Amino acid sequence: MKKRLAKHLVIMLCIIMVSLMTVYIGLAVYYHNAFEYGTWINDVYCTGKSIQEVNEELVKDFTYEGVTIHDKDGNSYPISAEEISYQFDFIKALEIYQQQHNSWMWIESLVRGENTRLSPVVTYNGEKLEECLAQLPLLIQGQDTEESRTVAIIKTNQGYELLNERTAVLNIEEAKAAVRAAIEASQTEVFLEEAGCYHDLELTEEMQATLALWEKLDAFQQCGIIYQMGEEQVPVDASVVCDWIALDEEGDFLLDENGELQLREGAVETFVESLAAEYDTVGASRSFTATRGETITVEGGIYGNQLDQQAEIEYLTDAFLSNKRETHEPAYTQKARVQGKDDIGDTYIEIDMGEQMMYYYAEGVLQLETPVVTGNTSRNMGTPEGVNYVYLKQTDRILKGEGYASHVNFWMPVKGNIGIHDASWRSSYGGTIYQTNGSHGCINTPGEIMEQLYNLVEVGTPVVMFY
């Protein structure tokens, strides 16, 4: 009985072993032409699928629009896949992948499982790619010969600059190779600088001498002085300092016995004069928006800024030679309340002699307005136009002139003997009174208004006077 049972067990084990071997062999044969269990390629499930079937799915999911070439200056040059007849498939890569896996060892895939990344095999038209590359500006420029690439110092509107055509020169063949490699790897971008396609060329002795001179020029031009002209800043930069360098009769740089650049005689004086010509406003012509709504031009007057040119020549010469770096407010022989070209500011007295009206603005807000009587135009005593200022304030004055002596309670002279004051002898103001019965040139103002004005206005306040 026991022998029979043992015999049956042996038979059953043999049947099971044969069955398992049959299944194992069958699957090994099956996986010889299909991918093993648990195989993922580029996120596509491949178990039991043939190379052709997997290739169709991979091709369907893969896109390539072309490559963009980036140069060292940040310029980009695209080449589309269509331009070079770009084509691809995964069959060769899949065949190699499958050959690396022994189908008789398929059982390992039950525990291994993997998601493999494969790149397609790429083909493209090389002649078309060469045509595309030949049209790229960076490769056209790169065709210059080494002998034609120079090192020179040139003068521009920004000052002297170095032209060095021998640094970071593109190697065309290396660039083409980098592009081809990117396309063959289906990469969408290639950075030529990162790919090592730029190289420096050797320098001749003459070029090395030019570079040594440039270092001196560059240091000479690095002036750190900035003039603060009101709200504006005027940098004494390379565009200015380049004209301060002394040159010989042939226009070459003049060096001292130590081989250093020299400051041209009179250069600083010329700059300070130009600064004064632009920003001095005493007696200047100004554009002014009148209360009556017009934008007018007012010329002349004693108000304004005037640079102390001698003081600035001395300062700037020392500051430049000492290599100072600072923002500098210049010295003035006459200084207005506001610096810069727009020196009237928003606090001023406006005397519209055409309308015979006077206005006082403080920080842009109208504080007072009143009719006035200005100089008698029929007797050639018309009040002069110009931008002046209150240079004095007095009370209880006797104003004297040829044939008259008049007492006033409030007196604010603005230009010589011409000033703003009350006029107790007048009962009316404004209109056309000034044409036949005007003042000797002063601005006659109603007493009550004059007192208010006197108490509001400070010495130095601009007075804009016009017809």
Side-chain angles (χ1 to χ4, degrees):
M1 186 71 180
K2 291 182 179 180
K3 290 182 178 180
R4 185 182 298 176
L5 180 59
K7 183 178 180 180
H8 281 115
L9 288 174
V10 170
I11 294 172
M12 290 179 63
L13 287 173
C14 289
I15 293 172
I16 292 172
M17 290 296 294
V18 170
S19 299
L20 290 173
M21 290 181 64
T22 301
V23 171
Y24 189 92
I25 294 171
L27 287 175
V29 173
Y30 174 73
Y31 285 138
H32 183 72
N33 295 311
F35 288 96
E36 301 171 353
Y37 174 81
T39 299
W40 290 79
I41 299 176
N42 295 1
D43 299 322
V44 171
Y45 186 63
C46 304
T47 299
K49 297 178 182 177
S50 67
I51 289 177
Q52 190 62 43
E53 290 172 330
V54 173
N55 181 64
E56 290 176 0
E57 291 195 45
L58 293 179
V59 167
K60 180 181 63 177
D61 294 338
F62 183 84
T63 58
Y64 184 72
E65 297 180 356
V67 65
T68 299
I69 305 165
H70 301 276
D71 66 15
K72 66 180 178 60
D73 299 318
N75 301 311
S76 300
Y77 308 92
I79 296 177
S80 69
E82 290 76 14
E83 289 180 281
I84 59 175
S85 301
Y86 175 95
Q87 295 180 335
F88 63 93
D89 67 41
F90 290 82
I91 289 178
K92 187 65 177 178
L94 290 170
E95 288 176 348
I96 294 173
Y97 173 83
Q98 194 174 57
Q99 289 171 6
Q100 293 173 345
H101 291 76
N102 188 344
S103 63
W104 292 99
M105 303 299 293
W106 63 265
I107 197 168
E108 292 180 358
S109 65
L110 296 176
V111 294
R112 183 177 66 236
E114 57 184 25
N115 185 7
T116 304
R117 309 302 302 184
L118 294 182
S119 297
V121 175
V122 171
T123 60
Y124 59 90
N125 189 312
E127 292 182 358
K128 290 184 177 180
L129 175 60
E130 284 294 326
E131 291 175 2
C132 291
L133 292 173
Q135 297 174 12
L136 297 182
L138 82 160
L139 295 188
I140 295 174
Q141 295 168 2
Q143 293 174 354
D144 296 339
T145 62
E146 286 192 18
E147 293 75 15
S148 67
R149 293 183 175 276
T150 186
V151 176
I153 295 171
I154 59 175
K155 190 176 183 182
T156 70
N157 292 333
Q158 286 73 46
Y160 287 105
E161 295 181 1
L162 178 67
L163 176 65
N164 189 347
E165 298 176 334
R166 301 185 73 81
T167 60
V169 178
L170 180 67
N171 184 300
I172 294 180
E173 293 308 316
E174 291 180 356
K176 289 181 178 179
V179 173
R180 285 193 291 267
I183 293 172
E184 290 166 5
S186 299
Q187 296 173 353
T188 57
E189 293 182 302
V190 56
F191 294 86
L192 298 180
E193 189 168 23
E194 294 179 5
C197 300
Y198 290 92
H199 307 278
D200 293 343
L201 303 180
E202 291 186 6
L203 302 176
T204 65
E205 290 185 5
E206 183 180 355
M207 292 174 180
Q208 291 174 356
T210 300
L211 285 178
L213 177 58
W214 164 248
E215 290 181 2
K216 296 178 181 180
L217 276 171
D218 190 38
F220 190 97
Q221 291 185 138
Q222 296 301 317
C223 182
I225 304 301
I226 300 175
Y227 268 87
Q228 189 71 48
M229 310 300 293
E231 295 295 324
E232 295 183 44
Q233 289 190 330
V234 180
V236 187
D237 56 19
S239 66
V240 175
V241 176
C242 67
D243 292 324
W244 295 9
I245 304 172
L247 305 175
D248 62 21
E249 294 179 353
E250 297 179 356
D252 295 325
F253 299 109
L254 195 61
L255 305 178
D256 62 18
E257 63 269 13
N258 298 318
E260 299 299 327
L261 296 166
Q262 300 184 63
L263 182 65
R264 180 173 62 83
E265 186 177 352
V268 176
E269 289 85 346
T270 301
F271 171 77
V272 172
E273 288 172 3
S274 68
L275 196 66
E278 185 173 1
Y279 288 95
D280 279 2
T281 56
V282 177
S285 176
R286 296 173 175 84
S287 179
F288 178 78
T289 302
T291 301
R292 67 191 185 200
E294 297 178 45
T295 298
I296 60 172
T297 299
V298 185
E299 297 183 355
I302 63 171
Y303 176 79
N305 295 293
Q306 191 164 48
L307 284 179
D308 186 336
Q309 294 190 35
Q310 186 56 44
E312 286 312 304
I313 290 170
E314 294 174 3
Y315 160 78
L316 188 53
T317 302
D318 175 71
F320 175 72
L321 295 177
S322 302
N323 198 28
K324 290 184 179 179
R325 297 187 170 276
E326 60 189 16
T327 299
H328 172 69
E329 183 176 337
Y332 294 89
T333 56
Q334 179 177 319
K335 193 173 184 180
R337 287 172 64 97
V338 178
Q339 281 63 63
K341 296 176 183 178
D342 183 14
D343 60 350
I344 294 174
D346 56 8
T347 297
Y348 56 87
I349 297 171
E350 174 187 345
I351 301 175
D352 186 338
M353 295 178 290
E355 298 289 333
Q356 290 291 285
M357 289 292 295
M358 180 168 65
Y359 309 91
Y360 172 63
Y361 287 87
E363 297 183 356
V365 178
L366 180 62
Q367 303 292 328
L368 287 176
E369 63 177 307
T370 181
V372 293
V373 175
T374 60
N376 191 328
T377 55
S378 65
R379 298 177 60 189
N380 294 323
M381 293 182 178
T383 304
E385 293 184 277
V387 180
N388 302 297
Y389 67 98
V390 176
Y391 64 83
L392 184 67
K393 290 174 64 176
Q394 290 182 329
T395 59
D396 195 22
R397 277 289 309 271
I398 301 294
L399 304 181
K400 296 180 180 180
E402 187 177 349
Y404 72 91
S406 303
H407 174 270
V408 298
N409 293 314
F410 303 99
W411 166 243
M412 297 194 305
V414 298
K415 182 182 180 182
N417 292 324
I418 295 174
I420 307 170
H421 61 79
D422 54 295
S424 58
W425 55 90
R426 291 193 183 276
S427 59
S428 60
Y429 297 84
T432 59
I433 298 173
Y434 76 104
Q435 296 176 359
T436 56
N437 189 27
S439 69
H440 292 87
C442 289
I443 299 90
N444 292 175
T445 307
E448 181 180 347
I449 298 295
M450 186 63 209
E451 182 176 4
Q452 295 179 52
L453 184 67
Y454 185 91
N455 290 327
L456 289 171
V457 171
E458 297 178 350
V459 171
T461 299
V463 182
V464 187
M465 305 160 66
F466 58 90
Y467 286 92

